[in-house]
DNA sequence: CTGAAAGCGCTTACAG
DNA sequence: CTGAAAGCGCTTACAG
């Protein structure tokens, strides 16, 4: 038999209002009464129905997380950190990835319009038209994760793609004296990709190396396009002496292809990546890459979102760029 | 201004009951009326409040997923497949991993007692006392994923650890003629680990190889214990000619250590793993391992859970063991 | 400090 | 086919 607040009230000899107050730790309830009620609650193993509470309070204590389509090990850590942070505060996490079948917009609208969650963490490196309209029209607080640009009034948290890329390319230039640094770019329109590319260009410029369009190829952040990109770069007359892949997955593709073609890393060509995915430490040679503070990203996203929910007007907004850090392996030519 | 069912009813000139029926596609509503209501709904961009609906219908159309503490790339695919399957049916997914701070039992009890979800997918290779009490006492349907044994009355789905291990060890014996096959075991009490170990023992026995306790070491399913296990095995007088690691992460540890010690795989010692994690295809040499149908595991877990929820009495239960398949790389000695 | 009552936004048995 | 009303299980302003 399902036990509800009435049963507790009956057994405790008080009204349901008092039970409710006691459980919400209102100081309108006498300590004695609280204790008495708590005893009954424990006895009966009563758990208040969160759905009813949500309806009444008009808040769900649940945050929604919307993820992009492609998911990798990266995201598990992200979710884990979100869950951890949410748990600490007794909040819940509703997951929703956008699928081939449905687009981000749809997912987002449904989540935000429905009242199923009090706020949304939206990871959207590939921002689509219409998203801002939805966000700004809605009263549901949102925090954008890894989204390009600075959208006024919207909470944002992201990683420092630019500086990470800048630093690692500068490492290739200054420490190793490479002159022909190729790049396998990420997908068009992807924020992370664009910022990393900008960092690459900037490092070249600051170090007075001319940008050579033949050394820049496009990729899609996956292994296959890494293979293709690497092949393209290495089949040209002017071969690069180092290649910066915009993420580790593409660097991995480069490794694979290098092995097949008998090209030695870093002797024939140096490689650097971005993300520091778990896998990269096990590559031979260890990949030089950029570490991304993924745990921090998740837990801060939760903190800022809850702050936004609690102050309920979106007055003061959060905008933060988390630092990235280069991780030196031997794929760049460093000895270990 | 938040728009609710009353606004829609007012504008459509009908009662809220009729609006509700129309939206639930009841055939008690005349097609004309339905059309008229739908038009208003679209105009106003009305989305019924799922919380109110849940309270009224006593069902949430949400499934809870409880994950163990250690999470890896494996789990992201699992969640993704669950989300995909749930989405198809317009269900939602609430994630809850057990943390250092809280144990599985607590997480589970809260989730099941609260009415926040209609059913739970519980991945628990390391089953704890008390879990069955909770499950059998509760009316909330549960499906156990990768849990050892056959618990009467409980829906279960798992992978064929035994056969996977058996097959891969038999491959080492029959194809490569290894005689001294070591094993780096998984954690004590872990279901997957125990079944894999049983498969190993059975393959030895069937092929008339005596079990040699000095060739069996314990591990914890992580890279570090793989390193330690490998070192231990290779430092003995009688060295193994092949090692079966109970999962790929430990095989990875073996690779690392082999590299450091200058031991060649597979020439000095063959290696086989289990899981076929994404990473393993990029190891040199490619790891011979056992593929686990993780996507299937997730989507079937959802299907069976929803079936259990819908038939609401737990009459007919689902129990399924998904086949595993060996993936031949060159770490076992096969040419590629 | 406590209780009776209204309200959160829906669904659905009941009556017509 | 449609509507008035009760009910889902809580919270909280109001009155005492």
């Amino acid at each position: 038999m399902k036990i509800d607040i009435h049963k507790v009230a009956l057994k405790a000899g008080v009204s349901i209002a008092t039970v409710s107050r006691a459980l919400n730790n209102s100081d309108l309830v006498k300590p004695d009464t609280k204790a008495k009620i708590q005893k009954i609650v424990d006895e009966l193993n009563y758990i208040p129905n969160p759905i009813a509470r949500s309806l009444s309070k008009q808040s769900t204590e649940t945050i929604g997380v919307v993820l992009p389509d492609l998911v990798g090990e990266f995201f598990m850590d992200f979710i884990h950190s979100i869950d951890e942070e949410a748990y600490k505060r007794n909040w819940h996490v509703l997951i929703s990835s956008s699928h081939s079948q449905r687009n981000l917009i749809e997912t987002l609208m449904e989540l935000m319009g429905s009242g199923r969650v009090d706020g949304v963490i939206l990871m959207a490196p590939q921002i689509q038209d219409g998203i801002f309209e939805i966000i700004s029209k809605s009263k549901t607080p949102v925090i954008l994760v890894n989204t390009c640009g600075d959208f006024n009034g919207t909470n944002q948290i992201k990683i420092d793609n630019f500086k990470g890329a800048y630093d690692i390319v500068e490492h290739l230039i200054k420490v190793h004296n490479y002159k022909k640094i190729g790049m396998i770019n990420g997908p068009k329109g992807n924020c992370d990709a664009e910022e990393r590319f900008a960092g690459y260009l900037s490092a070249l410029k600051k170090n007075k190396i001319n940008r050579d369009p033949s050394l820049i190829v496009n990729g899609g952040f996956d292994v296959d396009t890494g293979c293709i990109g690497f092949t393209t770069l290495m089949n040209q007359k002017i071969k690069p002496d180092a290649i910066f892949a915009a993420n580790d997955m593409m660097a991995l593709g480069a490794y694979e292809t290098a092995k097949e073609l008998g090209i030695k890393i870093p002797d024939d060509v140096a490689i650097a990546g971005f993300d520091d995915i778990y896998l990269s430490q096990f590559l031979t040679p260890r990949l030089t890459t950029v570490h991304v503070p993924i745990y921090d990203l998740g837990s801060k996203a939760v903190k800022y979102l809850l702050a936004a929910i609690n102050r309920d007007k979106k007055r003061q907004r959060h905008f933060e760029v988390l630092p990235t850090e280069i991780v030196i392996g031997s794929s760049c030519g460093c000895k270990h």
Side-chain angles (χ1 to χ4, degrees), chain A residues 29-45:
Chain A
V29 183
K30 208 160 39 173
D32 293 7
T33 321
K34 258 187 202 168
K36 182 174 61 180
I37 291 172
Q38 189 55 55
K39 192 162 151 281
I40 308 289
V41 164
D42 291 342
E43 261 177 53
L44 296 178
N45 238 302

Side-chain angles (χ1 to χ4, degrees), chain A residues 130-145:
Chain A
I131 284 194
F132 289 105
E133 239 192 284
I134 298 172
I135 293 177
S136 51
K137 272 188 187 162
S138 169
K139 310 125 307 304
T140 310
V142 173
I143 181 159
L144 252 35
V145 177

Side-chain angles (χ1 to χ4, degrees), chain A residues 132-163:
Chain A
F132 289 105
E133 239 192 284
I134 298 172
I135 293 177
S136 51
K137 272 188 187 162
S138 169
K139 310 125 307 304
T140 310
V142 173
I143 181 159
L144 252 35
V145 177
N146 279 4
T147 301
C148 256
D150 180 348
F151 297 98
N152 216 331
T154 314
N155 297 297
Q156 279 180 266
I157 184 164
K158 51 192 210 172
I159 56 157
D160 202 339
N161 285 301
F162 180 88
K163 181 142 191 311

Side-chain angles (χ1 to χ4, degrees), chain A residues 146 158-174 183 191-204 206-207 244-246 272-275 288-293 320-328:
Chain A
N146 279 4
K158 51 192 210 172
I159 56 157
D160 202 339
N161 285 301
F162 180 88
K163 181 142 191 311
Y166 182 93
D167 287 350
I168 205 164
V169 173
E170 194 158 77
H171 173 87
L172 295 174
I173 300 172
K174 289 205 162 156
M183 172 151 186
C191 155
D192 294 316
E194 283 173 6
E195 293 181 352
R196 291 169 194 184
F197 184 54
Y200 160 81
L201 290 180
S202 175
L204 293 187
K206 279 267 168 51
N207 290 280
F244 170 44
F274 203 115
D275 279 349
T288 290
T289 185
V290 180
H291 182 75
V292 169
E320 184 170 351
V321 179
L322 299 180
T324 50
E325 207 172 309
I326 66 175
V327 177
I328 302 299

Side-chain angles (χ1 to χ4, degrees), chain A residues 56-106:
Chain A
S56 181
K57 296 184 81 154
Q58 297 290 63
S59 84
T60 60
E61 308 213 317
T62 301
I63 62 184
V65 179
V66 180
L67 296 175
D69 199 6
L70 34 63
V71 291
E73 58 167 76
F74 188 83
F75 291 99
M76 196 61 229
D77 287 341
F78 186 59
I79 291 176
H80 201 232
S81 58
I82 288 173
D83 181 45
E84 189 108 29
E85 192 64 39
Y87 172 68
K88 280 189 207 156
R89 297 145 191 269
N90 274 311
W91 276 58
H92 290 80
V93 178
L94 202 66
I95 289 283
S96 199
S97 40
S98 56
H99 299 271
S100 28
Q101 314 159 47
R102 115 185 102 166
N103 65 47
L104 242 186
I105 307 267
E106 212 179 312

